[in-house]
Amino acid sequence: MGHLYLSRELTPGAMDAVRSLGLPLVVHDDPDRPPPRQRLLDDVRGASALITLLTERVDDELFDAAGPGLRVVANCAVGYDNVSVDAARARGIVVTNTPGVLDESTADVAFGLVLATSRRLVEADRFMRSGAEWVWGPQLFVGLDLSAGATLGIVGLGRIGMAVARRAAAFGMRILATGSRASSAEAHALGVQPADLSRLLAESDVVTLHCPLTPQTHHLIGAQQLAAMKPTAHLVNTARGPVVDEAALVHALERGVIAGAGLDVYEDEPRPHPGLLALDNVVLLPHIASAGRATRDAMGKLAVDNVRAVLAGDPPLTPVPG
Ligand code: GLV
């Protein structure tokens, strides 16, 4: 049996699970940065299993470098747009992801961004730290009330979107959603109304994205879609950066086409569009939506359980769909 390659040290609970496999282990030695490509290619040589992160491109070149003993790639993320799934399948390599365990953590941050952008919380924090003179005033940092009949539009109502819908329902928001689960009994019970994208964009006060990145969702939100939103509306993205045309978003935020945005992900990650950095009406996070400690432990453990199952000849727990 070859080694297990891990492209970054995980959280302590997840590392305990990794060690419990009892496999020879190669862990990239910089905990803060992904392995440079050539280093990655060198270190996977002879591996039976890889635990990868969304920062690695997992493709034919990597499979060639690993060699014929590679049996499983456990991507430690729910998204797997970094993995060439067809190339893996053609070689009989199993690909798994980590659905389910990060729904609540991701929904917390998505809803945190809904609050932060609509109530201008980060802008107000910057104002306080600037040392500016201030006194309470009826118009100081007024923003959008969420509970006063505001509408949340959830694009791609899956597991994470549903967790966001539960939060929005608790806030008394009206909820519109796209996606097949928008018509489910669970969605209905939360008061979710199914809508197509154009109605959702036109009627929502906050639009939050929860679809995977696929060729169909690349630039799903561009200049035309932003123009279809209300000028008082906000956009939240905790899905994947390229779902939004980031240059078009900067343009829209600069010109008041929409009121604000809260972003956890970027089109050219880790670099946000420079125009975003100059804007006050956008909240920027460094892709931390699943960064709850227990959640990160659970993601690592699920990746390990997938590796264990495949190497034992059992079906993986959470193979990528399709
Ligand atoms: C994080 O972005 C994930 O896909 O899990």
Side-chain angles (χ1 to χ4, degrees):
M1 180 80 64
H3 64 281
L4 165 65
Y5 174 78
L6 183 52
S7 62
R8 214 90 62 83
E9 181 157 333
L10 305 175
T11 51
M15 287 311 292
D16 287 346
V18 167
R19 282 185 283 269
S20 77
L21 281 170
L23 288 172
L25 191 59
V26 176
V27 185
H28 177 55
D29 54 13
D30 184 342
D32 300 321
R33 273 171 216 298
R37 186 70 182 175
Q38 190 53 52
R39 180 77 192 277
L40 174 66
L41 296 176
D42 291 343
D43 284 352
V44 299
R45 197 164 312 281
S48 296
L50 313 181
I51 295 183
T52 51
L53 305 173
L54 53 86
T55 42
E56 279 79 59
R57 204 175 71 246
V58 180
D59 57 6
D60 267 320
E61 183 186 40
L62 191 69
F63 300 145
D64 282 341
L70 181 62
R71 292 170 59 190
V72 53
V73 174
N75 204 47
C76 199
V78 66
Y80 51 92
D81 45 280
N82 58 312
V83 182
S84 300
V85 176
D86 289 345
R89 287 215 173 104
R91 295 169 187 249
I93 299 167
V94 176
V95 179
T96 66
N97 65 340
T98 59
V101 293
L102 45 67
D103 300 346
E104 302 299 331
S105 189
T106 303
D108 282 346
V109 170
F111 211 77
L113 283 172
V114 171
L115 283 164
T117 181
S118 61
R119 295 299 303 273
R120 305 170 63 187
L121 300 182
V122 177
E123 194 186 341
D125 176 86
R126 271 197 300 273
F127 168 79
M128 289 300 287
R129 289 170 197 276
S130 75
E133 293 241 345
W134 70 283
V135 61
W136 187 92
Q139 300 205 59
L140 187 64
F141 283 104
V142 289
L144 169 76
D145 280 311
L146 294 184
S147 330
T151 298
L152 182 70
I154 302 175
V155 176
L157 187 79
R159 280 179 305 260
I160 296 171
M162 200 68 84
V164 173
R166 286 196 293 276
R167 286 153 179 77
F171 269 67
M173 297 184 80
R174 176 173 173 256
I175 308 168
L176 301 177
T178 69
S180 53
R181 285 179 73 182
S183 309
S184 66
E186 189 184 1
H188 184 73
L190 288 169
V192 173
Q193 296 174 38
D196 61 20
L197 185 61
S198 50
R199 175 175 164 219
L200 182 148
L201 293 172
E203 294 186 17
S204 296
D205 296 294
V206 184
V207 173
T208 182
L209 306 178
H210 298 288
C211 51
L213 173 62
T214 65
Q216 291 71 38
T217 62
H218 183 265
H219 282 193
L220 181 70
I221 305 296
Q224 201 186 328
Q225 290 71 27
L226 292 161
M229 290 170 64
K230 299 180 189 180
T232 49
H234 298 254
L235 177 71
V236 167
N237 189 5
T238 54
R240 281 291 183 271
V243 175
V244 176
D245 177 343
E246 210 166 272
L249 176 62
V250 168
H251 198 262
L253 289 167
E254 283 171 350
R255 284 163 182 74
V257 174
I258 63 169
L263 306 176
D264 187 43
V265 290
Y266 304 91
E267 192 167 355
D268 183 24
E269 220 163 284
R271 285 166 292 278
H273 188 295
L276 290 172
L277 303 178
L279 287 167
D280 263 338
N281 55 345
V282 57
V283 179
L284 305 173
L285 302 180
H287 203 148
I288 55 168
S290 68
R293 203 167 284 115
T295 298
R296 285 285 163 86
D297 281 354
M299 290 166 69
K301 285 178 187 160
L302 181 52
V304 165
D305 287 343
N306 275 305
V307 168
R308 182 182 286 111
V310 175
L311 295 187
D314 294 329
L317 281 75
T318 51
V320 298

